[in-house]
Amino acid sequence: MTDNLWYKNSVFYELSVRAFKDSNGDGRGDLRGVTEKLDYLQTLGVDCIWLMPIYPSPLRDDGYDIADYYSVDPAYGSLDDLKVLIEAAHQRNIRLIMDLVLNHTSDAHPWFQAARSDKNSPYRDYYVWSDTDQKYTDARIIFVDTERSNWTWDEQAGQFFWHRFYSTQPDLNFANPKVREEMFNVARFWLDLGIDGFRADAVPYLFEREGTNCENLPETHEYLKQLRAFMDEHYPGRILLCEANQWPEDVRPYFGDGDEFHMGFHFPIMPRIYMALKKQRYEDMEKIMRRTPSIPENCQWCTFLRNHDELTLEMVTEEERQWMWKEYAPEPRMKLNLGIRRRLAPLLDNDRRKIELANSLLFTLPGTPIIYYGDEIGMGDNIELFDRNGVRTPMQWDDSPNAGFTDATPFTEPIQGKLGYQNINVAGQLNDPESLFHALKQMISLRKSHAAFGGSDMQWIQTGNPHVAVYLREYDGERMLIFNNLGDSVQQVNIPTEYRQTGTELFSSRSITLGDALELEPYSYLWVQL
Ligand code: GLC
């Protein structure tokens, strides 16, 4: 495991430890459960697992509210269990990253408890306090369904405290050098345990400054660069993945000169993939990719279709948001904050062609794809559950009671019905060579075995047909011509002269001769190596 640019040609997989596999019969998934299922992830072809937070937490934000940065919540196991998991993963050439939640702690964290109870405590200044709630008024509210202000009055402290997320998640005060140092210690602790890096949560909001929207501030970048330098010095080859739900030009600085983040999520392309599928036109995707600045050679975008949060619509216009809600969230329960709390398969009408096509886009656009657990089999969701829990239900392993997830009463019921475990499960799909699982497995393997996909180059090819996204991916002497028919009918594209040649269609490994035109079945895709 020495290639320091490993993340450019990888496939990532995000999972909720609680929902993946219960090994000890308490109804909740745990680290040993993940270890038990490494063979499965290896079969799928995953290179790196991102574990959602496993730190002790009152779970007011499903673990993103951390009460202790230095241990594992006993419900998930122990530090030793984590070490075993890391080792077993590494033996299979699978890496593992964890969430690094820098911006805030839980209000149950001893720092906050000390801070609120004593004005003179050294921890008081770990948080952001004010006598008025009229500071930093240009900062938007993120959890608009629940929060009315970024300030909450604390009776005990006799002051307001600052929080960008739930009021149970006070923001740390990064203006305080002690806080900045504490977070280095946290990073060191987990890297010393052997993890391969972090998905750094909510980084745009670390610092506050009056007169700004308190996002993406220069002092935030300065701190993150120090964190990167620290990692490069002591832990080369480990990565930082940036969660900045921002426009491409605002994410660009998070890559710095190749000296800040290794990777950054590309948020705006995600909703545009759904827009493209519904409109049967690729123009919105093309626009946002053209608006995406180039990034340093040692950096990489990270692309996704779904994750543990709502399908965020922060990076679209108001008009586009209303349209997305109308098309994809017809029932009020499906909406959450500025997004949609549904999974991939239900969003795409459980239409196998659309699910594969969305993945074809994901796997061939610039960036390293990340799969959200369960989406590789087309798992369902439950919009009745609180907050985002409806997309964090037990993994559907087989059709036995409780989906093969646990022998006990599960922390939440697995999905029932058409997309439930009786119909959609790993065991069934492993046995069926025609399943979605096997289609994705092949995509993953093709994506990884061709350097062209890991590069950053992408050229849109004009074929005169707005329904078919055609582009060239080129890197290191390899050239891939990709066709994605977004239309629900057969579409024809004109092939520009320079591409009229014989190539290899990657899925069938058959030779294909591109003439002056090509016909594509509804929702079909073709990856041609020239
Ligand atoms: C990130 C996480 C989200 C969490 C928030 C606050 O956006 O993805 O799940 O609620 O940060 O930590």
Side-chain angles (χ1 to χ4, degrees), residues 450 452-453 459 472-482 498-499 501 504 506 528-530:
H450 294 284
F453 295 123
Q459 281 174 56
L472 184 76
R473 300 293 318 279
E474 187 170 5
Y475 186 71
D476 220 8
E478 241 188 11
R479 301 169 83 213
M480 300 289 174
L481 194 57
I482 312 295
E498 70 246 63
Y499 303 115
Q501 50 179 280
T504 309
L506 291 184
V528 181
Q529 177 164 16
L530 297 176

Side-chain angles (χ1 to χ4, degrees), residues 50 52 61 64-65 99 101 104 142-143 165-166 169 199 201-202 205 243 307-310 388 392:
W50 156 27
M52 283 173 63
D61 185 12
Y64 284 94
D65 48 329
D99 265 287
V101 185
H104 43 263
I142 296 169
F143 286 165
F165 295 92
Y166 286 124
Q169 285 165 298
R199 177 261 193 193
D201 182 71
Y205 321 110
E243 191 220 9
N307 62 18
H308 66 289
D309 287 325
E310 67 274 29
R388 292 148 287 181
R392 304 174 185 177

Side-chain angles (χ1 to χ4, degrees), residues 321-340:
R321 187 175 305 135
Q322 296 300 334
W323 183 86
M324 281 290 289
W325 272 332
K326 179 166 73 69
E327 297 293 335
Y328 284 107
E331 292 170 38
R333 257 323 276 189
M334 294 174 173
K335 289 190 193 176
L336 180 69
N337 297 318
L338 295 188
I340 303 173

Side-chain angles (χ1 to χ4, degrees), residues 128-130 132-139 151 162 175 207-215 217-219:
V128 183
W129 300 98
S130 167
T132 125
D133 58 0
Q134 291 306 307
K135 277 172 81 177
Y136 312 136
T137 49
D138 293 336
W151 291 107
W162 178 250
F207 284 81
E208 298 66 49
R209 194 175 356 122
E210 204 55 78
T212 73
N213 67 357
C214 299
E215 299 187 12
L217 297 182
E219 42 274 51

